[in-house]
Amino acid sequence: MRLSPQHLYPIIALAALAGGSIWLERVTEDPNTSPEPNAMRGPDVIVEQMALTRFDLTGTPQYYVDAQQMRHLPGQAQSELTDPVVRYQRDGMHLRLTAEHGVARDDGERVDLKGQVRAQRTLPGKPVSTFASDTLVLWPNTEQAKSVDPVVLTQDGAEVHSNGMSADNLFGEITLTGGVVANLPIKRKQP
């Protein structure tokens, strides 16, 4: 079959009409109004008095997360926590972290704590140690944490100030960064 110019006119007209429609839509679009992005939408789930327990592979509780309120924001792939409390307990060790606000990201792999972040850690036969800062990033599964804000650590009358800190709870390591000032009282043994 041979195509003549008469057969091509309808195809050319439809293509011109489609192109003109697309051009007209873009020209008449108001730049001040755009569709609401997913990130701006509200929460899809709100939970009051949330309590979560994460178990390890053996079925033993690894850590607990409690919050007055949890708001899941699907457009941002995160959950906002009000008054979060994170607790670890094992082999006599107790660690309790609190804050005014928290944001759980990456399916709970990372929790950003903000506002009056406090921690208290007890070990059998050792004095209680405390931590205070304005922010703390916590990786609950690996029990690691980091703060780039000033921190204050205390234990048995000793007080240490620093510009930042990273910690590994599994290995019991704390690394202080910048401007470290320590007040370590001398304790004399009684003869």
Side-chain angles (χ1 to χ4, degrees):
M1 179 172 146
R2 188 170 178 199
L3 291 176
S4 68
Q6 293 172 341
H7 291 107
L8 293 177
Y9 286 130
I11 295 172
I12 293 171
L14 284 174
L17 184 61
S21 295
I22 292 171
W23 173 81
L24 184 60
E25 180 184 3
R26 289 189 181 167
V27 168
T28 59
E29 212 174 62
D30 185 5
N32 295 327
T33 60
S34 60
E36 184 178 5
N38 285 339
M40 298 305 288
R41 292 191 184 148
D44 62 344
V45 175
I46 298 175
V47 177
E48 299 289 336
Q49 302 297 321
M50 181 200 84
L52 173 126
T53 303
R54 170 79 181 220
F55 296 91
D56 64 15
L57 295 175
T58 66
T60 305
Q62 183 181 3
Y63 63 87
Y64 307 87
V65 178
D66 300 324
Q68 292 296 320
Q69 184 183 77
M70 185 273 296
R71 297 165 39 100
H72 180 256
L73 302 169
Q76 298 174 12
Q78 66 186 28
S79 296
E80 295 176 347
L81 306 171
T82 304
D83 296 324
V85 177
V86 180
R87 294 178 292 123
Y88 291 91
Q89 295 175 344
R90 74 168 170 279
D91 302 327
M93 184 276 301
H94 297 279
L95 174 63
R96 184 174 190 269
L97 294 146
T98 62
E100 293 174 348
H101 306 284
V103 177
R105 306 173 192 279
D106 305 327
D107 292 329
E109 294 291 322
R110 172 182 168 165
V111 179
D112 295 352
L113 299 173
K114 184 177 182 181
Q116 299 291 318
V117 180
R118 301 293 182 258
Q120 184 173 359
R121 183 178 183 201
T122 58
L123 292 167
K126 301 225 176 182
V128 173
S129 49
T130 66
F131 163 88
S133 184
D134 286 332
T135 63
L136 183 71
V137 177
L138 174 67
W139 292 270
N141 293 333
T142 59
E143 298 188 31
Q144 296 177 331
K146 182 175 186 173
S147 179
V148 294
D149 287 322
V151 300
V152 178
L153 303 171
T154 64
Q155 184 178 23
D156 197 25
E159 187 171 288
V160 179
H161 296 258
S162 175
N163 291 339
M165 174 210 76
S166 61
D168 188 322
N169 190 46
L170 290 176
F171 294 103
E173 295 178 356
I174 296 175
T175 304
L176 301 173
T177 54
V180 178
V181 176
N183 177 14
L184 307 171
I186 297 173
K187 295 200 176 196
R188 302 187 196 278
K189 292 185 179 183
Q190 297 295 329

